[in-house]
Amino acid sequence: MHEALRAILGPIFESDFRPHSYGFRKGRCTMDAIAVMMPLFNTSSKHYYVIEGDIKGYFDAVQHRKLVSLLKRRIADKDLIALIWRFLKAGVMENGLFARSEAGVPQGAGVSPLLANVYLHEFDVWAEQQWDLSPSKRERRRAAGGGNYRLSRYADDFCVVSNDGIAGVRAAKAAITRFLADELHLELSDEKTTITHVNDGFDFLGFHIQRRRPEGRWVVHLRPTATGTARVKAKIKALTTRAWAWMEEYTRLTTLNALVRGWAEYYRHTSLQHDIKTVTDYTWHRYLRWLRKKHPASGPRALIQSKTRRIHGRHRWTAQIRQSGTTLETYQWLGTSQELRRGRYRQKGRLGFAHPYLDDARSVPLRAVWSPGFAPGPPSPRHRLSPHR
């Protein structure tokens, strides 16, 4: 039922959502939210200050009545609104005890990310009115000694980058705090909502972004966060303990490959190959330790000689298994150029993102093809839909 609601509401609200919202939207990903900021850190744009936004317990703090009032602006069907209200008020079971849900959206439900985006859409509209100016107005603001701002939001995580002075950035942070508190009843975390200079580096969506000058010129490095790297290493370590010594080598190596490859694919647009190599090297040594626990009579040199093979110029672990009279073989995946297509992430086209629910992007009206600084059209009509159709 949640998925049916998402299928009904998604196309409707997708026409309203703003271009700088990237989380849980069809055709968008975390790299889109990162890529829009990266050019702003160069020496021509000079957006060096970053407001890192962190909303306290966002999914538990959404006000039900406020959310329903926002839904009613677009949805007139009373049965559909009543169904959503019952979902919000269903309550939760924890340790065998029932607790009423006075606020928040059900985490893990299919429709929750969409409802969260509907709620924070008001923040997007406010930010657009404050900061999305035409190029000429932005230039005039800079000439007058002011600064410009750009929002990038992924669900409840957001960053605001600016080329204003520190006093103006602090005033902008205070304005964001007031708007979220007064209009949406949300509170920013004082400890985690900070103002950072890009030279000092900041974390966003699992990436660490920092402007450095290693060889005489300024460059912006995009790397995995230390937390993200430590987390994947902890998973690799957990999969190669003595407790898993009973498992077949083929199965264990296949599982490790899936984990490491998924992590490396997520970070394949980062700046340094060294970060990916660190994780694959760690996997190589952890797998060797696991083999020594599985074959205690064999030394490390014997295991390396018998269970590795040189592939694409690197010694890799290999494993075989017999299934239905056929021998299956796998080898350790490494983030080499043959296996991981690395490169700079390309932003979407000049007109931004086409509407994902329309087949032909060329037929989309101009105001529905989102691009920075667009002029919103007239209010859209409310839709009368029934969950029974």
Side-chain angles (χ1 to χ4, degrees), residues 13 67-76 78 81 382:
F13 285 99
L67 174 59
V68 169
S69 69
L70 297 175
L71 291 170
K72 285 181 178 180
R73 295 180 184 178
R74 283 295 248 135
I75 307 298
K78 295 182 179 180
I81 295 296
R382 294 201 300 171

Side-chain angles (χ1 to χ4, degrees), residues 8-35:
I8 292 171
L9 299 177
I12 298 172
F13 285 99
E14 184 63 35
S15 299
D16 294 344
F17 288 156
R18 294 310 192 241
H20 39 254
S21 168
Y22 299 95
F24 304 110
R25 293 179 64 184
K26 191 175 180 180
R28 299 181 179 228
C29 64
T30 53
M31 275 308 304
D32 292 320
I34 297 291

Side-chain angles (χ1 to χ4, degrees), residues 258-329:
L259 174 62
V260 176
R261 185 171 185 174
W263 182 88
E265 285 284 350
Y266 184 76
Y267 290 110
R268 69 188 179 97
H269 298 292
T270 53
S271 305
L272 303 178
Q273 174 71 18
H274 171 75
D275 297 307
I276 296 176
K277 186 177 183 299
T278 298
V279 173
T280 54
D281 288 350
Y282 180 79
T283 307
W284 197 95
H285 291 287
R286 285 299 310 181
Y287 188 75
L288 173 60
R289 293 189 62 176
W290 179 78
L291 285 176
R292 293 186 64 184
K293 296 180 179 69
K294 187 175 181 66
H295 305 284
S298 300
R301 179 171 297 182
L303 290 172
I304 293 173
Q305 291 177 347
S306 62
K307 296 183 181 295
T308 64
R309 188 149 50 90
R310 194 173 184 84
I311 302 173
H312 297 315
R314 297 279 300 274
H315 283 285
R316 305 166 187 245
W317 296 110
T318 61
Q320 296 179 345
I321 192 174
R322 292 281 296 178
Q323 286 186 354
S324 303
T326 304
T327 300
L328 302 178
E329 184 180 42

Side-chain angles (χ1 to χ4, degrees), residues 18-20 123-133 374 376:
R18 294 310 192 241
H20 39 254
F123 175 50
D124 297 339
V125 173
W126 175 84
E128 185 178 85
Q129 294 171 350
Q130 301 289 319
W131 302 322
D132 282 13
L133 308 175
F374 78 98

Side-chain angles (χ1 to χ4, degrees), residues 9 23 62 115 140 165 180 194 226 266 278 318 328 348 366:
L9 299 177
V62 172
L115 296 179
R140 287 198 297 269
L180 292 176
T194 59
Y266 184 76
T278 298
T318 61
L328 302 178
K348 299 300 187 289
L366 182 60

